[in-house]
Every structure is written in structure tokens, then in C-alpha cells.
Amino acid sequence: MAYITGVGLVNVDRHYDKGIRGLAFEAASKALDSSMSSEVDFIVVASSLSYLQEPQLDLASYIASSIGLRGARSIAVESGEASGLAAVMTAKTLVESGVASRVLVVGVDKVSDHPSWRAYKHLSMLYDTESDAFYSIGLGGVAGLLMRLYMHVYKVDRLTLAYWPALMHSNAKKNPYAMLRFSITPEKVLEAPPVAEPLTLLDTFPLGDGAAALVVEGSPSRGALAEIAAVESATGYQSVALSDDPLKIESLEVAYMRLVERTTLESIDVVELHDSFTIMGVLELETLRLAERGKAAEAVAQGYFSVGGGGPVVNPSGGLKARGHPIGATGVYQVAEVALQLAGEFPGLQVEGAKGGLVVSLNAAGSSSYIAYLRSVR
Amino acid sequence: MTGWSPARVWRSRIHRYRLIAARCTSCGRAHYPPSNACPYCGSRSLDNVELPRVGRLLSYSVVYTTPFEDKSRAPIVIGLIDLGVAKLIAEVVDVTPEDLEVGVSVEAVFRRVSVDGSTGLIVYGVKFRPRREG
């Protein structure tokens, strides 16, 4: 059993005045304070871009010492955009195996420290450099061609797909940790500058820095926010070109099958998923069978995944689109947000009475996928 | 992609220049670029197969968010190309994006892929262009 007993979030933004260690310190301090104890016997650091951007190796040791945890055992987890949830999986394994009793997970990345053209280069390395990223795929080349394929195969128009970012911005408005807290209309998405056509700037995440932290315990002495019931994962193809069905995220499908074998999903009231691009959010909903294939965008447009719709509330945080996507930290944000939802303490759009929630995190177009089910303990 | 070591570029020259894929002797499926094991069945028993140089454009994206070294070339078209025995993602050249459409026939051309500043490597490889009529 693994429980979340403390969370600490830094608002996603362009934190020019704070370095990677400062952001990690802020999130870690908040998490430790909220768990009412500063004792930690293991620290798991999730980060991805920092190895290219700082650049700094052995990040876990340097962060541990710089935030006052010298002496703690430490390990770094790098799984691209899925690093955060991979780190939570590691922390859960550590407490359940008895190796550690209190684990601090810290996710941190600074996406806005460098000029955007350099960030695009670093971000393209999330894709396979032997295949897709051998070419200049930039920020969204692969997602862009998946979106066009989706529109072509299912005869879905561009405007229908623009309801996703509009919903994300609407959800983020009350989230104090979100980077983009303003409304946009679906029409505005189409008018925005192109990023990787048919994707526009409003189909993708803002370049922002962030850090999030969690305290994970095996047998908490005080009340927990939520239980991490199960975390599962699977690796996928190196490129969507290898897949017979590029519109299905195979690694996520396998991870989800493993998750339902491992635990009972009594109630899915809230989902925080990985909408690095509009099309990725849509494909994840369909891969998880929360929507029929080819129908997720329409369901979003009709309000099915909004509060009071027929389905689970998807990304009440605003998602990667509007909360932001500090690459290696994002999975930690998502787990913290769902834990707060299940405790009834999320400071933004709270899903009333939420009993269970899913967290989905993946790298690129599914080189690996991670999925977690969190359960309310209150 | 820039920042590659000369040795890495040299190691991949054969399959990149000649479009050599790996074919699994167990399940019969081909994949490109060639790995050490079959991505479909995991078999380590592979042989080489030269891919057809003509295929069909299944989808594409017009990329504006390029790294600095490719800024002058933006927008860059990235295509998902079906060569029959295998699919791959590659740059599509010699076309204005507005003239492109899903389903067109494309053919392989040998091109410069990246230039790493004034002193770094110039990397070559295969790109695709729409096939001329007739």
C-alpha cells in the first residue's frame, strides 16, 4: 500500500528569477510541511530537459543536498515527458518493498530558460533520434501529422478539435498553479499562429517552468490525502510509423490493461491526462475507451467530459494545455492534483465527491505510457 | 538533428543512404530504421531488405517550430509515408504545403538533412518529394 501524505506545487510560469534547485526546494518544502514531517529516507527526482538544458548530470544528488536532504538515499528518474509518473511508480515500489518508509518525489524542469528555438530542439529529442527526430520535426511535427490523419480517417473537422483547448482554458481559470488562466473560444484556436499544421499555438502547451513534490508513505501515521492504488506502464514503438494503427496509443492500451488486472477501478470521477497537443488528449480518451474511436473530440465539444457532463471530469487542472507542462515534473503535478481532488482540497475546479481518479502520462506519441489509479481515503 | 558525432553518422550511412530496412525471419515483417530485434515479435533473427523508393503520403504536418539552424527553411513538411512493406516518417521536399494532399504518390530523393554550424558535420539522408506525373 502507498499513500500520499503531502503535496507541494509551484505555479507553472516563466520563473526567470529561480533556478532548478530553487523551484525544487519550493515544491519540496511545501510537500514536507503539508505532511507535518521533514523526515525523508529516500528522494526520487524526476526531470528530463534539465540534462540537456542546465546541463547537469547526477541531478538527484545535487538537488537532495541543495534542499537540505544531504544523506538521504536518492535516485533520478528520466523517462522523457513521463518522468514524473515514472518517479511516482518508483516511490510506490520503494515503500511497498520496505526499502523506504517515507519517500519524497520531486519533479522539476525549466522549459523557458532558453530561447524557444533551442527549447524546440531539446523537445524534439523526446522523439526517437534514430528515426523521427533525425529530421527537423520541431515541437509538434509528429502530433501534427497524427492530427491530420485523425481528421482524414474519421472525417472530423478542425473546429470540433478546437473545443479541447477551449475546455482546458476554462478549467484552468480557477487553478492557482496554472500558467494560462484565461478563456479562449474554439474559433480563436484556429486563428492562432501555426505550430505544426494543422496544430496551432493554442493546441499545445505553453513553455513554462515548474516543480511539484509529493510525500509517499507505506503506512502513514497521520491522515493521507489519497491512496495510490496502482501504477502501471508499458513501452511502445519507437515511432508511430511502426504502428499498424497510429491513432491508437498501443503502450497506453497495454498499460491500462495491466492496471485493471492489478486493481479494481471502482469509480473514475476525475482524469488528469497528457494533452501535450490537442490530438494526444483525444487519442488517450479513445485508447482508454472513455469515448468511441473517432468520437472523442465531438464528446468534448458536447460537454461530456465537463463538470455535469456524462463522463468523468477530464483535466480539471487545465491539463498540459493550460496548467502547463514542465516536462519531467508534469506527472508529479497530475498525481498531486488528483490526490487533492480525492481529498476535496483542490484549490481550482473541484470535482465534488470524487472517489477515484486516473492519471495518464506518456512520452512523445507513446514511446512509453504510465497510468495510475488513485483512491479516496476519506 | 545537429550535434551528432561523426561516428554515429558514419555508422548509419548504409541504411540511411540506401533505405535498408530490417526484415524479421520469424514473423516476416520489415521495419525502418533497422533495429537489433524485431519491434513486432522480438526476434533477433533479421535480414536486410531494400525498401521501395516510391510510396504514398498517409499524412503530413507543416512545421513552423523548428530549431534555429533550420529557421530559414521553415516551414518544413514532415510526412508519414507508406512504402508498402514498411512505413516511415521523413521530410517532404520540393513542394509548397498548399499543394500537398493526403494520398499523393511520393518518391525518395537524396538530400542534405542538417548542417551543424560552419564547422560541424553536414548530414545527408533520404527525403521524399511528390512524384511527377507521367
Side-chain angles (χ1 to χ4, degrees):
Chain A
M1 307 276 266
Y3 298 88
I4 294 166
T5 57
V7 303
L9 299 170
V10 175
N11 62 312
V12 182
D13 210 338
R14 296 187 184 97
H15 290 286
Y16 296 122
D17 56 334
K18 288 174 195 149
I20 201 157
R21 299 176 195 197
L23 289 175
F25 175 73
E26 204 173 313
S29 302
K30 284 185 186 174
L32 293 171
D33 291 350
S34 80
S35 77
M36 312 292 277
S37 168
S38 53
E39 263 175 59
V40 166
D41 46 24
F42 220 117
I43 169 168
V44 182
V45 172
S47 190
S48 183
L49 280 187
S50 53
Y51 302 103
L52 296 171
Q53 293 202 324
E54 288 286 295
Q56 177 67 64
L57 303 181
D58 194 18
L59 198 61
S61 310
Y62 293 111
I63 284 187
S65 298
S66 73
I67 64 176
L69 296 173
R70 185 179 52 80
R73 300 161 189 86
S74 77
I75 192 169
V77 173
E78 197 284 311
S79 298
E81 295 173 277
S83 301
L85 195 46
V88 172
M89 188 182 202
T90 306
K92 179 175 159 67
T93 308
L94 287 171
V95 298
E96 288 180 343
S97 64
V99 168
S101 53
R102 260 174 73 87
V103 179
L104 176 70
V105 181
V106 182
V108 61
D109 252 327
K110 285 191 62 79
V111 189
S112 75
D113 247 26
H114 288 273
S116 54
W117 56 263
R118 194 174 287 150
Y120 298 149
K121 178 173 176 169
H122 293 150
L123 290 166
S124 74
M125 293 180 196
L126 295 166
Y127 293 81
D128 182 24
T129 56
E130 285 290 327
S131 56
D132 304 355
F134 174 65
Y135 299 97
S136 205
I137 57 169
L139 174 63
V142 173
L145 65 82
L146 284 176
M147 190 177 206
R148 191 183 304 275
L149 186 66
Y150 184 92
M151 293 164 65
H152 185 79
V153 168
Y154 298 121
K155 312 286 176 235
V156 174
D157 62 30
R158 190 49 265 254
L159 186 63
T160 304
L161 281 155
Y163 281 80
W164 177 276
L167 174 63
M168 292 304 106
H169 275 247
S170 162
N171 286 356
K173 270 169 88 175
K174 286 197 283 180
N175 178 2
Y177 306 113
M179 184 164 173
L180 305 178
R181 299 169 60 191
F182 53 88
S183 297
I184 56 166
T185 61
E187 289 75 16
K188 201 91 185 155
V189 176
L190 273 61
E191 292 162 12
V195 162
E197 283 173 352
L199 289 164
T200 76
L201 189 63
L202 287 175
D203 284 302
T204 185
F205 58 93
L207 303 183
D209 315 325
L214 302 169
V215 177
V216 178
E217 292 187 67
S219 41
S221 49
R222 295 180 192 81
L225 291 163
E227 181 196 353
I228 309 170
V231 189
E232 265 297 357
S233 74
T235 44
Y237 292 116
Q238 299 101 305
S239 165
V240 295
L242 294 175
S243 173
D244 289 331
D245 185 358
L247 297 178
K248 186 175 76 183
I249 307 166
E250 189 162 300
S251 57
L252 178 59
E253 185 172 55
V254 175
Y256 181 65
M257 276 167 18
R258 288 175 178 164
L259 186 80
V260 297
E261 276 169 26
R262 197 174 277 281
T263 193
T264 310
L265 313 184
E266 297 94 354
S267 177
I268 303 173
D269 304 302
V270 56
V271 180
E272 284 289 342
L273 56 72
H274 185 90
D275 57 323
S276 45
F277 301 94
T278 295
I279 186 64
M280 296 312 297
V282 165
L283 295 182
E284 286 160 40
L285 288 173
E286 294 178 9
T287 301
L288 296 173
R289 301 197 184 131
L290 291 170
E292 261 180 71
R293 296 197 64 183
K295 300 285 184 200
E298 200 182 312
V300 169
Q302 291 168 349
Y304 183 75
F305 296 109
S306 307
V307 175
V313 178
V314 175
N315 289 3
S317 69
L320 279 58
K321 171 68 204 84
R323 173 233 296 116
H325 180 27
I327 310 298
T330 300
V332 185
Y333 274 89
Q334 292 173 300
V335 172
E337 287 155 356
V338 171
L340 290 170
Q341 289 283 356
L342 299 175
E345 294 177 13
F346 187 66
L349 182 64
Q350 169 70 45
V351 181
E352 296 305 327
K355 293 278 173 239
L358 286 177
V359 176
V360 174
S361 184
L362 49 90
N363 181 60
S367 65
S368 70
S369 289
Y370 289 77
I371 184 165
Y373 180 67
L374 272 65
R375 197 178 281 143
S376 163
V377 290
R378 297 190 177 171
Chain B
M1 171 67 76
T2 53
W4 279 30
S5 65
R8 185 176 179 187
V9 173
W10 176 80
R11 279 194 297 273
S12 64
R13 71 202 183 282
I14 303 294
H15 74 257
R16 288 214 195 282
Y17 294 176
R18 291 173 46 203
L19 272 185
I20 305 291
R23 184 170 48 199
C24 176
T25 60
S26 301
C27 74
R29 299 200 58 177
H31 68 273
Y32 181 89
S35 305
N36 294 107
C38 175
Y40 302 103
C41 74
S43 166
R44 287 173 284 177
S45 174
L46 307 168
D47 56 21
N48 291 338
V49 56
E50 195 164 333
L51 292 173
R53 304 184 75 80
V54 173
R56 202 166 63 87
L57 185 66
L58 295 178
S59 187
Y60 63 95
S61 178
V62 186
V63 182
Y64 291 80
T65 47
T66 54
F68 185 71
E69 55 270 23
D70 290 320
K71 227 167 179 172
S72 62
R73 296 205 300 128
I76 288 172
V77 179
I78 298 294
L80 174 63
I81 293 148
D82 187 3
L83 294 172
V85 289
K87 297 196 294 291
L88 54 81
I89 283 175
E91 189 176 332
V92 181
V93 292
D94 297 352
V95 67
T96 43
E98 303 78 56
D99 296 339
L100 212 50
E101 55 183 316
V102 169
V104 298
S105 180
V106 290
E107 62 185 3
V109 285
F110 190 71
R111 289 294 164 88
R112 196 163 61 185
V113 174
S114 60
V115 179
D116 196 355
S118 54
T119 55
L121 287 182
I122 298 172
V123 178
Y124 293 87
V126 169
K127 298 183 180 180
F128 286 79
R129 70 176 174 202
R131 218 173 158 205
R132 307 281 185 268
E133 296 296 323

